[in-house]
Amino acid sequence: MGKEVSVCNHRLSELFNMNLSIPGYQRIYCWQDKNVERLLDDIWNLEDGQVYHLGSVIFQKDEINVGADGNPLLNIIDGQQRLVTLSLIYQILNDNGSPLLTQEMKSSEAKQFIAYNKYLIQNYIDKYKLSDIEAAKKIEVFNNSLRLTVLVLESSALDLAYTFFSNQNKQGVPLSN
């Protein structure tokens, strides 16, 4: 049997270049104000070269579906809330570097959370009255500073993915059927 799990540290910008996918069984995007504001407060004043670790994310390699580049999709098992919120921040700073916002959200509730959190993020960023150059610099700092530990489950067995997810999220939003 081959290696079932690989672990690497990646810059956020590297993750946004991967074939990320939100699988249909994933809970909806539902981050509350406090989560969005805490993330913004944590990362906003980073300086270039300063490393900030955003925790871990768990992906599962999809052996059936592939991205435009022919490589397998990486289904997000854990980290969707952070990654979607970070994608919204990038989008508002005029950088569409994340593929996550191009995916169809079927839940109207998730769409409402996204719209509201875009509003929150826009208001947060507007306080700083950034020029286009300053916004681009902020993206550059985020690209150089933000790191995540990435666990990739090479196995397509959902039981392994569920084990990792449930162990990682004992304190998070509870799962539903």
Side-chain angles (χ1 to χ4, degrees):
M1 178 184 277
K3 184 167 67 167
E4 289 190 18
V5 179
S6 62
V7 180
C8 293
N9 285 315
H10 286 285
R11 289 185 166 122
L12 180 62
S13 58
E14 293 170 327
L15 290 184
F16 285 166
N17 288 319
M18 294 178 177
N19 291 322
L20 301 179
S21 176
I22 301 171
Y25 57 80
Q26 183 62 267
R27 65 183 174 205
I28 67 164
Y29 174 76
C30 59
W31 251 18
Q32 302 291 321
D33 304 30
K34 65 181 180 179
N35 304 104
V36 173
E37 291 166 0
R38 185 178 314 131
L39 177 61
L40 283 162
D41 288 342
D42 285 350
I43 67 173
W44 193 256
N45 293 312
L46 290 172
E47 295 181 18
D48 204 15
Q50 182 181 1
V51 173
Y52 187 82
H53 197 267
L54 288 167
S56 62
V57 292
I58 303 172
F59 302 147
Q60 181 180 38
K61 191 178 282 185
D62 187 332
E63 298 297 334
I64 298 169
N65 300 301
V66 297
D69 61 3
N71 290 319
L73 292 179
L74 295 171
N75 291 324
I76 301 170
I77 303 301
D78 183 53
Q80 175 204 187
Q81 307 294 317
R82 273 173 293 154
L83 292 173
V84 169
T85 304
L86 289 160
S87 298
L88 292 171
I89 293 168
Y90 269 54
Q91 184 182 57
I92 290 167
L93 288 170
N94 297 318
D95 182 301
N96 292 314
S98 170
L100 293 177
L101 299 179
T102 62
Q103 295 186 28
E104 180 183 352
M105 298 278 179
K106 294 178 182 164
S107 164
S108 61
E109 188 178 4
K111 290 176 187 176
Q112 290 172 347
F113 272 104
I114 286 174
Y116 181 68
N117 287 342
K118 276 180 84 167
Y119 169 79
L120 284 177
I121 294 165
Q122 185 70 60
N123 284 340
Y124 187 98
I125 291 172
D126 283 349
K127 292 186 300 190
Y128 295 94
K129 300 182 183 346
L130 299 177
S131 68
D132 288 345
I133 293 170
E134 291 168 323
K137 177 66 176 163
K138 187 62 75 176
I139 289 291
E140 184 180 331
V141 169
F142 290 163
N143 284 340
N144 293 329
S145 298
L146 300 177
R147 306 283 199 301
L148 291 106
T149 299
V150 179
L151 286 81
V152 177
L153 307 177
E154 303 290 336
S155 169
S156 61
L158 281 177
D159 58 341
L160 181 61
Y162 180 78
T163 299
F164 270 93
F165 180 86
S166 60
N167 287 340
Q168 184 75 11
N169 281 286
K170 291 182 180 178
Q171 304 294 324
V173 175
L175 294 174
S176 66
N177 290 334

